[in-house]
Amino acid sequence: MARKEMLAMLLAGGEGKRLGVLTKDLAKPAVYFGGKYRIIDFTLSNCTHSGIDTVGVLTQYQPFELNRYLGIGTPWGLDRSDGGMAILPPHVKQKGGVWYKGTANAIYQNMEFIERYNPSYVLVISGDHIYTMDYDLMLQHHKRCGADVTIAGIEVDWKEASRFGVMHVDDEDRITAFEEKPAKPTSNIASMGVYIFTWSVLQKYLIYDEANRQSSNDFGKDIIPAMMRDGLIVSAYSFRGYWKDVGTIESLWEANMDLLAEEPSLDLSDTDWRIYSVNPNRPAQYVAAGAQVISSMVTEGCVVEGRVDRSVLFYGVQMEKDSEVSESVIMPNVRIGEGARVYRAIIGEGAVIEDGVQIGDPEDEAITVVAVGQFVANDHVLLEVEPS
């Protein structure tokens, strides 16, 4: 097996509880985003553009749809014999097998896969963030610093900082303190959940951590703090582009709305950094006479006979006469009936909004969520998420 300088281990087993009904039967990385993508497309496309040709995708919760979507990695150029994509679910070994107990344990259980390629470095990434990033630039930083581990960090709003691992960084890019989701954060430099480890170092810590029965087997809570206590070189890589953790209903809605700005922070039309995905091969969208589409994304296969304003429509959406969709995300193959109104909502795949039904309230900032495949009549009670 040819040696790889760096391979990627993509953590895609998240249960996604905070996305509620959208992830009831779907792994979080497989959730739809941006009109024609899944969330995981972004990290996989980053790997492609960064020259990483060997990716292990670690799945766990509700993996069927995600596995079907990934296939053998063809859209991302990972259908290759000298590496490529490997789906890595928890598996039974001679001495038994267990579910992945944490992020570090997930990598520990797949050390044999990593050792096949004998890499110098291992990139650990998550399948549930929206961003574009050249991991090779981060690797060069890791080498320049002589680091044992490098963590990508980004400044976030102080009110959001408690959702993340936060770091204190000195003038030489050394991380001097690291706190995992502190109740009262003392820094707003958040870990992006993007790590580059020197593999020979990480191996030792994974084995030690697995033997520690008190450990939660997590990178942020256990592995990184242990490395810092032992005086290893823990470096920060400052990232200044667009990055969004879309782990909540509100953040998923906001990230979709961000795409509709006149000058979006995340440019999906950048031909130098395409986001690759599985193409549904639908006919061109059709906008009927008298219909209106304003500041929106309308994907192929849609039929629009009503009014769309600041919204994202995935493929196969049908909007009938006198219907209206505003500030909403409409996932694939949804039918919005004649005279229906949809305001500030996320509508799950295959849902049907019956004629004359109103979803949401134009005067209310709450985000209404309709489950996958749900049939909504006027007597339905729907989930509303208040903005934080």
Side-chain angles (χ1 to χ4, degrees):
M1 190 69 67
R3 185 181 188 197
K4 303 290 182 180
E5 182 182 31
M6 183 167 75
L7 59 75
M9 299 294 279
L10 198 166
L11 300 168
E15 193 170 0
K17 288 182 178 178
R18 293 177 299 168
L19 288 176
V21 294
L22 296 178
T23 49
K24 179 177 178 292
D25 299 305
L26 188 68
K28 182 164 57 169
V31 169
Y32 291 99
F33 177 80
K36 62 182 302 178
Y37 307 101
R38 309 270 187 149
I39 296 171
I40 198 171
D41 288 334
F42 288 80
T43 40
L44 286 173
S45 297
N46 289 342
C47 287
T48 299
H49 290 295
S50 303
I52 298 171
D53 61 13
T54 304
V55 181
V57 182
L58 287 70
T59 62
Q60 180 153 279
Y61 294 102
Q62 299 290 355
F64 176 76
E65 176 65 14
L66 177 60
N67 291 352
R68 184 198 66 78
Y69 180 76
L70 294 175
I72 58 173
T74 302
W76 310 277
L78 294 170
D79 50 342
R80 49 192 301 150
S81 58
D82 59 335
M85 177 186 290
I87 307 296
L88 303 172
H91 56 281
V92 176
K93 299 181 180 179
Q94 191 172 13
K95 296 181 181 179
V98 294
W99 288 99
Y100 294 144
K101 297 179 289 183
T103 53
N105 173 259
I107 304 300
Y108 172 84
Q109 288 198 42
N110 289 285
M111 285 175 60
E112 184 178 339
F113 168 79
I114 297 172
E115 288 168 356
R116 290 176 63 190
Y117 300 97
N118 189 27
S120 299
Y121 308 100
V122 172
L123 170 70
V124 178
I125 47 182
S126 173
D128 51 12
H129 298 149
I130 302 295
Y131 66 115
T132 58
M133 180 179 181
D134 188 339
Y135 300 130
D136 186 61
L137 295 179
M138 183 175 171
L139 177 60
Q140 302 315 311
H141 174 89
H142 180 85
K143 292 177 180 178
R144 283 195 303 272
C145 294
D148 298 295
V149 56
T150 298
I151 305 173
I154 188 170
E155 288 191 15
V156 297
D157 193 300
W158 277 96
K159 68 179 182 180
E160 294 280 308
S162 60
R163 289 179 52 204
F164 308 105
V166 295
M167 309 179 288
H168 290 261
V169 182
D170 67 17
D171 293 338
E172 297 181 343
D173 295 325
R174 289 282 294 267
I175 297 173
T176 58
F178 186 94
E179 301 174 278
E180 182 68 13
K181 298 181 180 179
K184 295 182 179 179
T186 55
S187 168
N188 70 330
I189 302 175
S191 166
M192 296 168 59
V194 178
Y195 309 101
I196 291 179
F197 291 93
T198 298
W199 175 232
S200 58
V201 175
L202 178 59
Q203 272 184 301
K204 298 173 185 176
Y205 277 84
L206 289 174
I207 294 168
Y208 172 82
D209 182 73
E210 188 64 24
N212 179 6
R213 294 187 177 181
Q214 306 304 314
S215 176
S216 58
N217 306 122
D218 183 84
F219 282 115
K221 294 177 182 177
D222 305 291
I223 298 288
I224 303 299
M227 289 181 165
M228 295 189 68
R229 286 194 301 269
D230 292 345
L232 271 62
I233 299 177
V234 181
S235 177
Y237 177 73
S238 180
F239 180 72
R240 305 192 189 283
Y242 182 92
W243 177 82
K244 194 86 166 181
D245 178 350
V246 286
T248 66
I249 291 294
E250 184 183 15
S251 62
L252 179 64
W253 179 86
E254 287 176 348
N256 276 280
M257 293 300 105
D258 287 345
L259 300 174
L260 304 178
E262 287 189 15
E263 296 183 6
S265 301
L266 179 66
D267 182 7
L268 295 181
S269 62
D270 183 356
T271 55
D272 293 327
W273 202 277
R274 288 182 57 196
I275 305 302
Y276 301 104
S277 65
V278 177
N279 193 323
N281 291 317
R282 297 293 185 97
Q285 65 267 53
Y286 173 72
V287 179
Q292 283 186 296
V293 179
I294 304 165
S295 300
S296 297
M297 287 184 169
V298 180
T299 313
E300 60 261 41
C302 290
V303 176
V304 179
E305 297 183 83
R307 184 177 191 272
V308 186
D309 184 11
R310 276 190 51 78
S311 295
V312 176
L313 273 58
F314 285 77
Y315 59 83
V317 171
Q318 294 192 39
M319 289 182 58
E320 299 190 6
K321 292 180 180 179
D322 194 36
S323 60
E324 181 178 351
V325 170
S326 178
E327 295 190 308
S328 295
V329 180
I330 314 297
M331 292 185 177
N333 302 318
V334 169
R335 175 182 168 270
I336 298 174
E338 186 172 342
R341 300 285 184 267
V342 179
Y343 303 110
R344 290 180 66 91
I346 299 177
I347 311 296
E349 181 178 10
V352 175
I353 312 302
E354 206 177 39
D355 294 355
V357 169
Q358 177 168 316
I359 305 291
D361 184 338
E363 305 301 321
D364 190 348
E365 292 191 354
I367 301 162
T368 306
V369 183
V370 174
V372 173
Q374 187 168 355
F375 186 91
V376 184
N378 274 312
D379 56 353
H380 261 85
V381 177
L382 299 171
L383 170 68
E384 287 191 352
V385 179
E386 295 292 340
S388 58

